[in-house]
């Protein structure tokens, strides 16, 4: 495992703090023989920095992020963050689902970084690379300390999650909302249970996530829904989109924002393998749709967005941007930069 890849670079002492994450001498590897963690390995690290600056070229509507974990037991086959595991020489398929990096000192480190005279109190997006409320959080409990640090400094923040465990921290969220801007978005791309069982096998069910939205709203926490991903040919029929938006509205969400499936390297190969096993008849259609890269054609994205917004208007909710959850619009780019030659020109991808 290439931990030194993420350590400080002695040849370049000007390396930004957000790239100097940890070194090989700060890693402890553990396994737990309990049903919920069987087959999962945790790599506990003491991070050198937990505040990550989003690359300037990113489309994200926020500049700073905090991600206490790498890898995710939600095991979503489409997860864009899979490639980040390759930076550690870890497998981007099953390895991403079962080799979880835990930044065990994240709460204390964040508190120290927020107290620095150099920190100007910018908005921080939490859990946008992998889910901060995945199952590992139930054991490690990093989020209460992170929320406490943000609350104590009245630092604005937002959270994106599929995890129902966020309800454990309702009191801290409520306290923080009294002193600063707090945005919460729950990711619910579709309500089809059969699709959920195969494409998001480790994540809470869509209904459980909608129940989480309902509970947050009932307790005074404004909550939007990131309708992500809309999966071409599997969850994009108008009646499917309408059913999802209706369920989101009934849960009390303040906004709904669609995001069509995108397939970056790492996720693309894993998703292609899944598609070939579960929906072989769709392989050629995906090859055509994603022939030009990681994103579906602009015309298709605009069509989905228009339809979702029409259904949102029908059910009395609006797109993100009209409510308090506007900053949690989409996942961020992977934490590590691409290799220079990969960034020099657009990449033509082969689906299979």
């Amino acid at each position: 495992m290439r931990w030194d890849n993420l350590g400080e670079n002695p040849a370049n002492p000007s390396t930004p703090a957000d790239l100097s994450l940890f070194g090989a001498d700060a890693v402890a590897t553990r396994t737990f023989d309990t049903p919920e963690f069987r087959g999962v390995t945790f790599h506990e690290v003491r991070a050198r920095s937990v505040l990550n600056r989003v690359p300037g070229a990113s489309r994200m509507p926020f500049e700073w992020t905090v991600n206490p974990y790498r890898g995710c037991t939600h095991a979503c086959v489409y997860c864009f963050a899979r490639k980040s595991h390759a930076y550690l020489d870890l497998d981007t398929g099953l390895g991403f689902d079962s080799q979880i990096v835990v930044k065990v000192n994240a709460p204390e480190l964040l508190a120290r970084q927020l107290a620095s005279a150099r920190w100007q109190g910018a908005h921080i997006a939490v859990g946008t690379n992998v889910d901060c409320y995945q199952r590992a959080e139930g054991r490690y409990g990093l989020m209460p300390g992170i929320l406490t640090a943000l609350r104590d400094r009245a630092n604005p923040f937002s959270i994106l999650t599929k995890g129902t465990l966020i309800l454990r921290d309702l009191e801290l969220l409520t306290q923080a909302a009294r002193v600063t801007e707090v945005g919460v978005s729950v990711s619910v791309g579709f309500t089809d249970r059969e699709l959920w069982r195969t494409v998001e096998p480790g994540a809470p069910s869509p209904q459980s996530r909608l129940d989480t939205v309902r509970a947050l709203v009932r307790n005074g926490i404004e909550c939007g829904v990131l309708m992500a991903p809309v999966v071409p040919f599997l969850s994009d029929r108008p009646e499917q989109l309408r059913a999802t938006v209706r369920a989101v509205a009934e849960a009390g969400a303040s906004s709904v924002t669609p995001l069509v499936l995108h397939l970056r390297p790492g996720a693309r190969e894993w998703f292609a393998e899944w598609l070939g096993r579960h929906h072989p008849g769709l392989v050629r259609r995906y090859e055509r749709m994603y022939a030009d890269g990681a994103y579906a054609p602009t015309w298709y994205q605009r069509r989905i967005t228009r339809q979702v917004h029409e259904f949102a208007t029908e059910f009395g909710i609006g797109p993100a941007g009209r409510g308090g959850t506007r900053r949690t619009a989409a996942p961020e780019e992977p934490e590590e930069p691409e290799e220079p030659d990969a960034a020099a020109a657009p990449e033509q991808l082969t689906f299979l």
Side-chain angles (χ1 to χ4, degrees):
M1 191 174 298
R2 196 169 44 155
W3 297 113
D4 287 338
N5 181 53
L6 299 180
E8 294 175 327
N9 183 356
N12 182 13
S14 63
T15 299
D18 56 349
L19 294 183
S20 302
L21 297 180
F22 42 83
D25 59 346
V27 181
T29 299
R30 304 186 192 282
T31 58
F32 303 105
D33 190 23
T34 55
E36 69 270 29
F37 295 126
R38 191 160 293 133
V40 179
T41 300
F42 295 97
H43 304 285
E44 300 175 356
V45 304
R46 294 196 64 79
R48 295 192 178 110
S49 178
V50 73
L51 274 171
N52 306 303
R53 182 174 235 135
V54 177
S58 171
R59 311 186 210 182
M60 298 306 105
F62 41 76
E63 186 179 0
W64 294 93
T65 67
V66 167
N67 289 287
Y69 301 98
R70 279 175 175 251
C72 186
T73 52
H74 287 342
C76 302
V77 297
Y78 54 77
C79 183
F80 77 97
R82 288 182 177 277
K83 188 175 181 182
S84 65
H85 252 38
Y87 304 129
L88 299 174
D89 282 344
L90 286 169
D91 174 50
T92 59
L94 287 175
F96 181 83
D97 305 337
S98 62
Q99 301 281 330
I100 311 300
V101 177
V102 184
K103 301 173 188 176
V104 292
N105 62 333
E108 62 194 74
L109 192 52
L110 179 61
R112 188 161 68 245
Q113 291 184 287
L114 294 182
S116 168
R118 293 179 295 176
W119 180 249
Q120 300 298 306
H123 180 99
I124 296 172
V126 184
T128 54
N129 193 41
V130 300
D131 204 321
C132 56
Y133 282 107
Q134 61 176 287
R135 274 180 284 158
E137 172 61 17
R139 174 168 286 275
Y140 285 95
L142 301 180
M143 284 302 295
I146 288 171
L147 295 177
T148 297
L150 292 163
R151 178 203 64 191
D152 290 351
R153 289 286 167 178
N155 202 103
F157 67 92
S158 57
I159 296 173
L160 173 63
T161 186
K162 286 186 179 81
T164 58
L165 190 57
I166 190 174
L167 296 179
R168 178 201 63 191
D169 296 339
L170 259 175
E171 181 57 33
L172 279 169
L173 289 169
T174 301
Q175 293 171 9
R178 294 191 189 114
V179 298
T180 191
E181 176 189 350
V182 175
V184 177
S185 284
V186 173
S187 177
V188 185
F190 45 82
T191 54
D192 185 320
R193 289 184 63 85
E194 289 308 309
L195 182 59
W196 156 65
R197 289 180 190 279
T198 60
V199 83
E200 299 171 339
S205 70
Q207 187 56 55
S208 295
R209 285 176 252 164
L210 291 169
D211 289 343
T212 298
V213 172
R214 190 173 287 106
L216 288 165
V217 172
R218 188 169 59 243
N219 283 275
I221 302 296
E222 188 171 332
C223 183
V225 164
L226 182 64
M227 192 171 160
V230 175
V231 187
F233 318 124
L234 291 173
S235 70
D236 64 347
R237 296 196 308 275
E239 62 270 26
Q240 293 174 305
L241 298 175
R242 187 176 186 274
T244 299
V245 174
R246 179 174 183 171
V248 167
E250 290 174 349
S254 60
S255 63
V256 58
T257 304
L259 186 67
V260 173
L261 175 74
H262 57 279
L263 295 170
R264 302 177 193 170
R268 189 183 186 96
E269 298 83 358
W270 194 240
F271 183 86
E273 182 180 326
W274 173 86
L275 191 70
R277 280 188 284 115
H278 291 274
H279 302 282
L282 293 178
V283 169
R284 293 298 298 276
R285 299 181 74 180
Y286 268 82
E287 288 176 340
R288 291 192 293 269
M289 175 162 281
Y290 291 91
D292 292 330
Y295 292 88
T298 300
W299 65 263
Y300 177 85
Q301 296 185 56
R302 287 177 176 168
R303 189 187 81 190
I304 295 298
T305 298
R306 182 180 67 253
Q307 290 177 328
V308 168
H309 287 179
E310 288 173 356
F311 294 137
T313 299
E314 175 186 352
F315 293 113
I317 58 176
R322 300 179 187 174
T325 56
R326 62 188 179 279
R327 293 181 182 266
T328 313
E332 63 168 296
E333 304 295 325
E335 288 180 357
E336 308 319 317
E338 300 288 347
E339 296 297 326
D341 60 341
E347 182 180 10
Q348 182 71 29
L349 299 176
T350 301
F351 191 73
L352 284 172

